[in-house]
Amino acid sequence: MQCAGCVNAVERQLKQQPGVQSAKVNLLTALAVVEYDATQTDPAALATHLSNRGFPSQPRSAQDARDNPPNWLERDRNEQTAQQRRLAIAALLLLFSGLGHWHHWGGPAIPLLSHIFSHWLVATLALLIPGRDILIDGFRSLWYRLPNMNTLVALGTLSAYLASCAALVWPGLGWECFFDEPVMLLGFIFLGRTLEGRVRQKASRSLQQLFALQPATARIIQANLSSQETGIEIPVQTVQVGDWIRVLPGEKIPVDGVITTGQTQVDESMLTGESILVDKIRGDRVVAGTLNQAGTIAVQVTQTGSDTVLAQIIATVEAAQARKAPIQNLTDKAAGYFAYGVLAIAIITFGVWDGMIPIMQPAWLPSEIPPVMLALKLAITVLVVACPCALGLATPTAILVGTGVAAQQGIVFKGGDSLETLQRVDCVVFDKTGTLTQGQPQVSQLWPVTHWTEQQLLQYAASVEQGSEHPLAQAILQSAHQQQLDLLPTQTFSLTPGQGIRAQVQTPERSWVEVILGNRAWLEQHDIQLDMAWVERLEQSFAQTLVYCATTHQFVGAIALSDPIRPDAPAMLEQLHQNGIRTVLISGDRQAVVEAIAAQLGIAEIYAGVLPAAKAEVINQLQTQHCVAMVGDGINDAPALVQADVGITVQTATDIALETADVLLLGSATAATPQLGLLNRALKISRVTFTKIRQNLIWALGYNLVLLPLAAGVFIPITTIMLTPPLAGALMASSSIAVVANSLLLQHSDVKDPPITFTQHSE
């Protein structure tokens, strides 16, 4: 694929095949993501069809994408080698052509090279050797009614060549032989594509560096032995979950796992964007691709291959390239019809000038130039100067560089659409537990109100919660474990996210009792009679999360839990406010607790006691006035993450939150590790990226709006300025290079926030 017209052509070819439901193609990564009905077609058939249409393709499953990532570096190197070979041949032929015209520039005439048949031979070789692929692809695309950049170049060069051949064979026509122009034109085309290929390679380097983070080997050791054991070096693909590996100082950690022996400091900047080394001791989690900086450690493997955090990041970033921004869909569609428009302009240009010159007989036209030759040169110039490449590269290059830069700083955009939408966000809604707080609440107090003791209250509550992964449930379970309380057998669980849980619990006397655990509304739904005066005094006295417990028709007590604020939350919110972004806190917790958290963080607008479905309704109301981003991490946040214009979550979120969110803010598994600080960085990257996209589009559109009329000769009667086909080829190549180079400036933009001082807050 050479340009956005090719992208549009490939997508149309795929969508026309039976069973294909959707197809998204990326120009830079050369990947097509296809959804299809397996009963009607298969990837091999689709790849064969594209190959027959001039787009060599091969099937690649999602599993292959994870386990055998594409060697983009090798692919780019092969493409560059082929382009350089064509450029070298074209440059050599251009040298011979130039020497043949030396006498026109005041030099001596070279007998052999200055002969007209030598010029014919050089032009013929230029078309047959370096220009062969352009001609074949250009006319094949035209045959299948999918004209692209090669079609325009092929028509331009071949028209100049055939017109010169006609002038050579029939001198009586009085036409001019300009065999040098196809040679010069191809030389500039290949020079431009070689330079453009190098710049494109730099544009995809961020993602290539992610692939390079994956170590190729690992040292496997016998379990329960010292980390100083030498170990056997094996390919990392053969490591299995449960194996023990040894990692030396200065080596990359090859898999995800838990440290079993030793202690060290790890550079996790590839995951978090933070350069500060993280202390790791026995029991701490380490991630593939991070760098072991200090001591020798033994690691027990927990995830390998496509299941590692790094592999999932790579897969997500790569998939994001196929999810186009809406603006890219528009430009690709426009570029798909661009070639037809240029062909029409070229035909009109030829017709107008060929018919107008004999009538007008302008004084500025040299008498020795036949009108038909001027008309032909102008038509060729129109074909060559038009540049759909710049228009097609404007968006994907910026998104590729932007998402790559973001991924290197610990931010994963799932698609160009989320990157585009985020830059328009002017309202951010936050969940409380696990998002603005650390998500590691602790039981602070127990209030039994019947004959139950505090231990009984905690034991029954923990028994009910043993089937839940909610942070409050984990806090209750941890407290029971610390007090060495045995969990009782349970059955018949019933969970309502955002409200509570109930289950049948077997008592020590072997009888069964229903235990209900949750907020006040949950107990009232089950007809539990509460001492409202006591409950209200409790809620007014404690600005903490309260969980109420009851058995069948009897209230038995309450549990208070505290959850410290994330250390990076205050600074992150302050920056949002400075940027004029409206912030909202939404939670299913009590009004007093939510107000206390909001007061510490400077959030003026809160919604308390909101159920999961109602969170989505709040987002919907805010969307009438704002472009809304939702930041959440729990199962109960999933509806709101889907409803929001952009759903954002952190790495420690639940699986459903990670699946439904559009943007992932990564960090280590420890709750104290800053993740929310990346939110402002993500906003900045999205805005800078789309500033580049706008600049690219302005340049691409402005280039064509100015140079197409200039090439068509609109300004000749006024200024007598006329573009030549070789100059048009040089301008066309420089246009694409300028767009890609401008996108590369993102790598040097100030997209990092200044260091943030983190302060620990407690409720």
Side-chain angles (χ1 to χ4, degrees), residues 716-730:
I716 290 178
I718 303 173
T719 63
T720 69
I721 294 177
M722 184 180 75
L723 290 181
T724 62
L727 179 58

Side-chain angles (χ1 to χ4, degrees), residues 394-434:
T395 301
T397 52
I399 288 179
L400 180 67
V401 177
T403 53
V405 169
Q408 289 181 325
Q409 297 184 35
I411 304 161
V412 176
F413 290 94
K414 288 189 177 180
D417 49 353
S418 56
L419 185 66
E420 178 177 353
T421 306
L422 186 61
Q423 55 93 26
R424 296 189 287 107
V425 165
D426 58 354
C427 177
V428 181
V429 179
F430 293 93
D431 171 55
K432 178 179 72 69
T433 304

Side-chain angles (χ1 to χ4, degrees), residues 178-428:
F178 48 104
F179 286 115
D180 56 313
E181 295 205 353
V183 179
M184 294 177 65
L185 178 56
L186 288 173
F188 281 121
I189 293 293
F190 288 122
L191 176 60
R193 289 188 178 180
T194 301
L195 295 175
E196 181 185 326
R198 291 182 179 179
V199 180
R200 284 195 195 186
Q201 186 175 344
K202 290 181 180 179
S204 61
R205 185 170 295 169
S206 296
L207 197 50
Q208 291 173 358
Q209 289 172 348
L210 285 178
F211 282 109
L213 289 173
Q214 296 179 303
T217 61
R219 291 186 181 87
I220 190 167
I221 61 176
Q222 188 175 349
N224 301 320
L225 291 186
S226 168
S227 62
Q228 301 301 319
E229 181 191 357
T230 303
I232 302 173
E233 192 168 295
I234 62 173
V236 71
Q237 292 87 350
T238 61
V239 176
Q240 298 180 355
V241 173
D243 288 345
W244 283 38
I245 62 170
R246 177 175 181 244
V247 186
L248 300 175
E251 290 184 340
K252 291 177 182 176
I253 297 171
V255 291
D256 291 3
V258 176
I259 296 178
T260 56
T261 307
Q263 60 183 16
T264 187
Q265 289 183 315
V266 176
D267 180 359
E268 294 186 337
S269 58
M270 54 74 59
L271 184 66
T272 64
E274 302 294 335
S275 58
I276 300 175
L277 298 181
V278 180
D279 294 327
K280 298 287 184 179
I281 60 175
R282 180 178 179 180
D284 284 346
R285 176 172 170 260
V286 291
V287 176
T290 56
L291 186 63
N292 179 27
Q293 291 279 38
T296 301
I297 54 175
V299 177
Q300 186 173 17
V301 180
T302 57
Q303 280 93 26
T304 63
S306 61
D307 295 326
T308 63
V309 172
L310 177 59
Q312 292 171 3
I313 293 172
I314 292 172
T316 302
V317 173
E318 188 180 7
Q321 306 309 320
R323 278 179 52 180
K324 299 180 182 179
I327 193 172
Q328 186 178 345
N329 286 320
L330 180 62
T331 56
D332 282 354
K333 186 174 182 180
Y337 296 100
F338 185 87
Y340 289 109
V342 173
L343 287 173
I345 294 173
I347 293 172
I348 293 171
T349 299
F350 178 83
V352 169
W353 282 104
D354 187 43
M356 183 179 68
I357 292 177
I359 297 173
M360 294 180 58
Q361 297 182 347
W364 45 261
L365 179 65
S367 58
E368 67 271 12
I369 300 180
V372 68
M373 297 307 298
L374 176 63
L376 182 61
K377 281 192 174 185
L378 290 174
I380 293 172
T381 304
V382 168
L383 290 171
V384 174
V385 81
C387 190
C389 295
L391 187 62
L393 290 169
T395 301
T397 52
I399 288 179
L400 180 67
V401 177
T403 53
V405 169
Q408 289 181 325
Q409 297 184 35
I411 304 161
V412 176
F413 290 94
K414 288 189 177 180
D417 49 353
S418 56
L419 185 66
E420 178 177 353
T421 306
L422 186 61
Q423 55 93 26
R424 296 189 287 107
V425 165
D426 58 354
C427 177
V428 181

Side-chain angles (χ1 to χ4, degrees), residues 317-578:
V317 173
E318 188 180 7
Q321 306 309 320
R323 278 179 52 180
K324 299 180 182 179
I327 193 172
Q328 186 178 345
N329 286 320
L330 180 62
T331 56
D332 282 354
K333 186 174 182 180
Y337 296 100
F338 185 87
Y340 289 109
V342 173
L343 287 173
I345 294 173
I347 293 172
I348 293 171
T349 299
F350 178 83
V352 169
W353 282 104
D354 187 43
M356 183 179 68
I357 292 177
I359 297 173
M360 294 180 58
Q361 297 182 347
W364 45 261
L365 179 65
S367 58
E368 67 271 12
I369 300 180
V372 68
M373 297 307 298
L374 176 63
L376 182 61
K377 281 192 174 185
L378 290 174
I380 293 172
T381 304
V382 168
L383 290 171
V384 174
V385 81
C387 190
C389 295
L391 187 62
L393 290 169
T395 301
T397 52
I399 288 179
L400 180 67
V401 177
T403 53
V405 169
Q408 289 181 325
Q409 297 184 35
I411 304 161
V412 176
F413 290 94
K414 288 189 177 180
D417 49 353
S418 56
L419 185 66
E420 178 177 353
T421 306
L422 186 61
Q423 55 93 26
R424 296 189 287 107
V425 165
D426 58 354
C427 177
V428 181
V429 179
F430 293 93
D431 171 55
K432 178 179 72 69
T433 304
T435 303
L436 291 178
T437 64
Q438 293 186 11
Q440 293 182 333
Q442 298 176 349
V443 174
S444 58
Q445 199 159 346
L446 298 157
W447 291 282
V449 296
T450 61
H451 61 279
W452 281 16
T453 63
E454 291 185 3
Q455 286 74 21
Q456 285 178 305
L457 175 61
L458 183 60
Q459 183 184 34
Y460 276 80
S463 299
V464 174
E465 295 283 21
Q466 62 184 308
S468 173
E469 296 183 358
H470 193 279
L472 299 181
Q474 295 301 310
I476 293 173
L477 286 166
Q478 183 181 9
S479 181
H481 177 72
Q482 291 173 348
Q483 297 189 31
Q484 298 180 343
L485 299 176
D486 294 328
L487 300 183
L488 302 173
T490 56
Q491 65 180 14
T492 321
F493 284 92
S494 177
L495 172 66
T496 300
Q499 290 188 284
I501 188 173
R502 64 177 180 175
Q504 296 288 331
V505 180
Q506 188 179 49
T507 67
E509 293 79 21
R510 302 293 182 180
S511 61
W512 291 89
V513 61
E514 183 179 53
V515 177
I516 303 168
L517 204 66
N519 57 29
R520 189 169 72 177
W522 176 247
L523 268 65
E524 290 173 346
Q525 287 182 25
H526 290 81
D527 299 324
I528 304 299
Q529 298 297 320
L530 302 175
D531 183 346
M532 298 307 298
W534 181 84
V535 169
E536 289 178 359
R537 286 197 304 271
L538 183 67
E539 292 183 349
Q540 291 173 2
S541 302
F542 286 87
Q544 297 180 2
T545 301
L546 296 175
V547 175
Y548 297 99
C549 184
T551 58
T552 307
H553 304 304
Q554 184 181 11
F555 177 56
V556 296
I559 304 173
L561 300 100
S562 62
D563 188 8
I565 292 174
R566 282 181 180 266
D568 56 336
M572 176 272 300
L573 285 161
E574 183 180 354
Q575 289 182 1
L576 288 178
H577 295 154
Q578 290 175 354

